[in-house]
Amino acid sequence: MSITKKVLALGAVGLMAAGLAACSSEAEGSTEGGAVDCNVGISMPTRSLERWINDGEHLEKLLKDEGCTVDLQYADNKTNKQISQIQNQIAGGAKILVVAPIDGEVLSPVLSEAKKTQDAVVISYDRLINGTEDVDYYATFDNYRVGQLQGEFIEEQLGLADGEGPFNLEPFAGSPDDNNAKFFFSGAWDVLLPYVENGQLEVPSGKAPKSNDDWASIGIQGWASDKAQAEMDNRLTSFYTGDEKVDVVLSPNDSLAIGIEASLKSAGYTPGEDYPLITGQDADKANVKAILDDEQSMTVWKDTRQLGDTVRDMIMAIIAGDEVEVNDTETYDNGKKVVPSYLLEPQVVTKENVQEKLIDSGFIDASDVGL
Ligand code: BGC
């Protein structure tokens, strides 16, 4: 997982620049004041999660400020809708596609069409597009590190390295069709599995993958809060019948954490008293509020503004025919190629640093979280 600063070889960039020559000449004369000629289709998975709304709006604004033509679409977490939206963007002349895939495995045909008809440059956004040569760059946060931060938080809070335990753990994983989910799980499980194996962590439900590769067996399809809630309800009613209490829940993100928290509260767990540690990711407002109210212990914050800035920089480099800066050329093998990636650093947010990290930086407003 080491991240080495690398810049993509000039040859590949030259090809890309040639592909974009048509784009530049087509719009010549249509731009004023040196505005950049740039036609971008952005395809986001869903408006149902706050983060994707922020991601889409932020990137759209950055690109419009650069003079780009931008078409931003959301696909309601429906794969077919995402494919047809991308087809429309290709037909509408998009020369650059920025895609956060719903299902990382199914976009190969539509991207091949984008290459054939528009010679488009494809940037995989936050989630990797698998099984195709037709993805040029990947911009994301270090997804393994996200899980590792969750695992290390649990290890530290419970004193596992000092031999404390046993504690009851319930682990969850993300959506099986999202390539990120296995990285999140691996990062956390590499820290926690040794403690499961030596008995410091017990998993009363039995839902403890024996290895990182088995993560999908505890994955929650579509990252749905209600499915996570139902799963937690099942575990509580089936496996916590006597005096047993849950001490810690590994939740890979905030949408799952919200469902898990609802389940725990309706089963009688009281924040500040017998309430378990719960992890998360994204710093969604409802979860930040939950952190302030002792209903969630932490979230891994990915400053999605940085991700937008990175993608804007990639696009500007592509348009100018310059080298695209990447910092990882090893980790993200999509089955057809190792996709040159730019990985950003995630950060831990707890009750103690909500103000400093999230509010002082302008990521959320104090009033949104009742402060
Ligand atoms: C993203 C997370 C998000 C999840 C659900 C993942 O691919 O990296 O930030 O919580 O999808 O939308």
Side-chain angles (χ1 to χ4, degrees):
M1 290 301 148
S2 76
I3 302 176
T4 40
K5 269 243 164 206
K6 281 181 191 154
V7 170
L8 196 71
L10 265 167
V13 173
L15 277 178
M16 221 86 63
L20 285 158
C23 168
S24 313
S25 55
E26 251 167 38
E28 252 168 37
S30 64
T31 52
E32 284 172 15
V36 178
D37 169 36
C38 158
N39 188 335
V40 186
I42 306 174
S43 174
M44 290 281 155
T46 173
R47 275 186 212 279
S48 71
L49 276 200
E50 205 173 290
R51 76 147 290 186
W52 300 114
I53 298 177
N54 294 339
D55 282 83
E57 287 175 357
H58 178 66
L59 183 57
E60 181 183 42
K61 177 170 184 325
L62 289 177
L63 293 174
K64 283 191 169 164
D65 286 350
E66 297 286 354
C68 299
T69 302
V70 185
D71 180 48
L72 167 63
Q73 298 292 333
Y74 286 86
D76 298 333
N77 262 343
K78 295 190 181 101
T79 296
N80 287 342
K81 187 161 183 178
Q82 183 161 48
I83 292 171
S84 68
Q85 286 175 340
I86 296 172
Q87 278 166 341
N88 287 341
Q89 289 174 333
I90 300 167
K95 302 287 183 192
I96 298 176
L97 292 172
V98 179
V99 182
I102 295 160
D103 182 334
E105 308 291 333
V106 300
L107 297 180
S108 174
V110 72
L111 296 185
S112 139
E113 186 185 325
K115 289 283 177 193
K116 267 190 217 117
T117 60
Q118 295 289 3
D119 207 3
V121 178
V122 177
I123 300 173
S124 204
Y125 185 95
D126 191 84
R127 301 170 172 174
L128 186 61
I129 300 167
N130 280 321
T132 172
E133 294 274 349
D134 297 328
V135 50
D136 299 287
Y137 302 102
Y138 181 34
T140 191
F141 286 82
D142 184 338
N143 294 304
Y144 180 87
R145 182 78 187 129
V146 169
Q148 195 177 41
L149 289 173
Q150 294 166 341
E152 287 171 357
F153 180 86
I154 291 172
E155 180 184 46
E156 195 186 312
Q157 294 293 311
L158 296 180
L160 295 172
D162 301 328
E164 300 289 329
F167 298 101
N168 288 334
L169 164 73
E170 291 301 330
F172 285 71
S175 192
D177 52 7
D178 180 347
N179 192 68
N180 284 354
K182 73 168 182 246
F183 282 89
F184 300 150
F185 189 77
S186 296
W189 215 230
D190 280 344
V191 179
L192 299 177
L193 183 58
Y195 298 114
V196 175
E197 288 173 344
N198 77 8
Q200 280 176 266
L201 290 174
E202 291 176 352
V203 182
S205 67
K207 299 199 175 185
K210 299 263 179 296
S211 81
N212 293 356
D213 294 340
D214 298 335
W215 68 275
S217 63
I218 55 163
I220 300 289
Q221 186 60 42
W223 296 96
S225 302
D226 58 345
K227 292 197 174 111
Q229 182 170 354
E231 171 64 17
M232 192 68 200
D233 285 348
N234 278 337
R235 294 193 198 183
L236 290 175
T237 45
S238 311
F239 304 104
Y240 290 82
T241 46
D243 292 341
E244 290 243 85
K245 287 276 182 191
V246 182
D247 297 309
V248 50
V249 182
L250 171 67
S251 167
N253 88 333
D254 281 353
S255 62
L256 266 57
I258 281 289
I260 293 162
E261 288 154 21
S263 170
L264 287 163
K265 283 185 282 174
S266 66
Y269 284 82
T270 311
E273 291 175 24
D274 56 354
Y275 202 80
L277 286 179
I278 303 177
T279 58
Q281 167 186 194
D282 289 338
D284 284 345
K285 286 173 196 151
N287 297 76
V288 174
K289 182 130 193 353
I291 289 174
L292 295 171
D293 294 343
D294 298 319
E295 294 177 7
Q296 183 170 322
S297 317
M298 61 92 85
T299 190
V300 177
W301 176 43
K302 304 190 295 191
D303 188 343
T304 48
R305 295 170 300 186
Q306 291 175 1
L307 186 54
D309 294 351
T310 301
V311 172
R312 185 260 328 267
D313 292 348
M314 282 182 166
I315 291 175
M316 290 305 109
I318 291 164
I319 292 294
D322 291 340
E323 293 177 13
V324 172
E325 192 181 352
V326 294
N327 62 12
D328 183 297
T329 52
E330 289 165 12
T331 310
Y332 288 97
D333 186 338
N334 80 347
K336 293 281 182 188
K337 70 192 277 195
V338 177
V339 184
S341 306
Y342 197 103
L343 307 188
L344 294 158
E345 272 299 305
Q347 309 174 47
V348 171
V349 166
T350 60
K351 196 172 183 175
E352 284 63 47
N353 64 8
V354 163
Q355 177 73 38
E356 175 207 332
K357 298 270 183 195
L358 302 180
I359 296 172
D360 294 349
S361 79
F363 188 75
I364 53 177
D365 290 338
S367 59
D368 287 330
V369 291
L371 282 177

